[in-house]
Amino acid sequence: MVTENIANVSSAVETLVQSSNTMFILLGAIMVLAMHAGFAFLEVGTVRHKNQVNALVKILTDFGISTIAYFFIGYQIAYGIDFFVGANELVESNGYELVKFFFLLTFAAAIPAIVSGGVAERAKFYPMLIASSLIVALVYPFIEGVIWNGNSVLGFNFQDWLELTFGARFHDFAGSVVVHSVGGWIGFAAILILGSRKGRYRDGRVVAFAPSNIPFLALGAWILAVGWFGFNVMSAQTMEGISGLVAVNSLMAMVGGTISAMVVGKKDPGFIHNGPLAGLVAVCAGSDVMHPVGSLIVGALAGGLFVFAFIYVQNKFPKFDDVLGVWPLHGLCGLWGGIAAGIFGLEALGGMGGVSFMSQLVGSLAGITVAVTGGFLVYGLIDKVVGIRLDEESEYNGADLSIHKIGANSDD
């Protein structure tokens, strides 16, 4: 009788733990899903008025096509798991694996959302959707599987090699490189292939296109910042793994990025509202191993890096027209975050240890190499086959009327 009671209690405890973990990661998935509204409003507030509807539609449809691509192809490439079994089997362990898929999908779908901001105002609709599906089905899951699941490629295990060579695996707790830098560098390829917007550069000088709506831009930044605590903290994926350190490190990096962008960007509201995002991008990789003071420094450097790189690139490279600055924000700050985890995660600098600077450097550069290669292959191929750039008249009229046949307001 006693044995039976103990077994019942153990079973009840196990069920409670499974249910708690399922609820925990579900809340994380919902918070990161909400971040896609942040991507949408950040783009809506930045682009010109004639492209606001297109910005909203792109983010939502990209999410839809990303879900299909990741469910049927990408998740299996990354983790070797598919869902082609009976529903009874799917709901075992309270459906934790299903909710885990939902959570990781929101990360995968962030890649097209990142790219969208860089190529805004001049890209065709369906060709870019096709590109998004290929990126989420093939390119992103390849990197995700190698880094987060330890997948081998043709018998070569990258993470095992890093550990054997440099003493530690590549550490990216919440995706500074796997998600953000990869998205930024894929966007880098797409931006180069598309070219700059008409009228953006005249006689080698930049013609400023002011943001259409600062309140919408600010709303997008705030939604992203709040959702980021689900992005980072809930990357633990279980209640047992939750860490207050991740939350505080995320907070300190966010604040550091904000203040740095304010100073370097001379109080420009666009820079100030992207500053916290730069800090949050950079802290993702080492948020579970760095000291809060280290995170503050990492975030502050990221905020300054974003402002400097955005201004420098837009002025010095006239064909590189990155509307929202996704390459410096995600690509460069994500790269910095991957490397920074190997610096400020060291015990000598107050971190938890277990990281290697060389592993972080090599791993970050490897992720970028795959992203750039995949980006040029996907967007280059689609551009050659069907073209990804709007014609000059459609671009002049704006994507809202040219693609969706309606403006943001009833009188448009």
Side-chain angles (χ1 to χ4, degrees):
M1 187 68 177
V2 173
T3 303
E4 183 180 346
N5 288 336
I6 292 174
N8 290 336
V9 170
S10 297
S11 177
V13 170
E14 183 179 354
T15 300
L16 179 62
V17 170
Q18 291 173 348
S19 299
S20 298
N21 287 336
T22 302
M23 178 57 73
F24 174 74
I25 200 170
L26 174 60
L27 291 174
I30 293 169
M31 290 183 71
V32 184
L33 174 62
M35 290 177 70
H36 289 263
F39 283 120
F41 280 101
L42 190 68
E43 186 172 336
V44 167
T46 304
V47 299
R48 289 169 289 179
H49 189 264
K50 62 184 179 180
N51 296 296
Q52 289 183 327
V53 172
N54 182 244
L56 291 169
V57 172
K58 280 192 303 176
I59 300 300
L60 186 57
T61 51
D62 271 338
F63 189 88
I65 204 72
S66 296
T67 300
I68 300 301
Y70 198 63
F71 183 87
F72 286 103
I73 302 173
Y75 196 64
Q76 185 168 0
I77 289 175
Y79 299 101
I81 297 172
D82 63 57
F83 301 106
F84 302 108
V85 296
N88 288 334
E89 188 173 341
L90 289 177
V91 298
E92 288 182 2
S93 300
N94 300 292
Y96 176 81
E97 287 297 332
L98 286 173
V99 178
K100 181 180 177 181
F101 158 78
F102 181 14
F103 181 67
L104 293 172
L105 160 69
T106 59
F107 282 51
I111 304 296
I114 291 169
V115 174
S116 175
V119 302
E121 301 199 315
R122 75 262 199 208
K124 289 182 178 179
F125 187 72
Y126 285 118
M128 295 302 288
L129 271 184
I130 295 169
S132 295
S133 68
L134 293 175
I135 292 293
V136 175
L138 302 173
V139 180
Y140 171 75
F142 173 82
I143 301 171
E144 179 186 21
V146 168
I147 301 302
W148 280 344
N149 199 43
N151 292 353
S152 296
V153 181
L154 300 177
F156 175 73
N157 190 296
F158 182 65
Q159 288 284 38
D160 286 348
W161 176 79
L162 288 175
E163 186 172 18
L164 181 65
T165 306
F166 303 116
R169 294 185 161 216
F170 177 67
H171 185 87
D172 191 358
F173 181 71
S176 285
V177 173
V178 174
V179 179
H180 296 286
S181 196
V182 165
W185 285 91
I186 289 175
F188 174 86
I191 291 163
L192 282 181
I193 291 171
L194 270 170
S196 62
R197 291 166 288 175
K198 298 297 181 183
R200 176 63 170 160
Y201 296 92
R202 295 174 188 168
D203 301 323
R205 301 186 66 179
V206 177
V207 175
F209 293 159
S212 60
N213 193 308
I214 295 295
F216 275 162
L217 187 158
L219 175 63
W222 271 107
I223 294 172
L224 282 166
V226 172
W228 224 295
F229 288 85
F231 197 100
N232 282 4
V233 174
M234 292 171 178
S235 285
Q237 299 187 19
T238 63
M239 292 287 286
E240 183 182 5
I242 192 171
S243 170
L245 181 65
V246 175
V248 173
N249 280 342
S250 300
L251 175 67
M252 296 301 284
M254 171 186 165
V255 170
T258 304
I259 295 172
S260 177
M262 176 193 69
V263 174
V264 179
K266 301 178 181 178
K267 302 184 293 295
D268 179 276
F271 288 141
I272 289 175
H273 284 93
N274 276 283
L277 308 184
L280 286 163
V281 165
V283 81
C284 286
S287 57
D288 63 326
V289 295
M290 295 191 296
H291 188 278
V293 175
S295 296
L296 179 66
I297 295 170
V298 169
L301 291 174
L305 173 63
F306 165 71
V307 175
F308 173 79
F310 184 89
I311 295 173
Y312 182 82
V313 171
Q314 295 284 357
N315 285 298
K316 296 297 183 180
F317 300 94
K319 291 188 180 297
F320 191 80
D321 185 9
D322 184 354
V323 181
L324 266 68
V326 300
W327 177 65
L329 181 67
H330 297 275
L332 292 184
C333 291
L335 171 62
W336 160 237
I339 296 171
I343 301 172
F344 293 94
L346 298 172
E347 290 187 55
L349 292 177
M352 300 284 288
V355 293
S356 159
F357 172 77
M358 285 304 300
S359 291
Q360 295 304 118
L361 176 62
V362 173
S364 298
L365 294 177
I368 287 172
T369 301
V370 175
V372 172
T373 303
F376 274 112
L377 285 174
V378 170
Y379 289 100
L381 176 63
I382 294 176
D383 188 43
K384 292 294 184 184
V385 175
V386 296
I388 59 174
R389 175 93 188 224
L390 287 173
D391 61 70
E392 191 167 342
E393 181 180 359
S394 296
E395 184 179 339
Y396 177 80
N397 292 331
D400 292 359
L401 295 178
S402 299
I403 297 174
H404 308 290
K405 312 304 179 186
I406 190 170
N409 301 108
S410 59
D411 56 348
D412 289 344

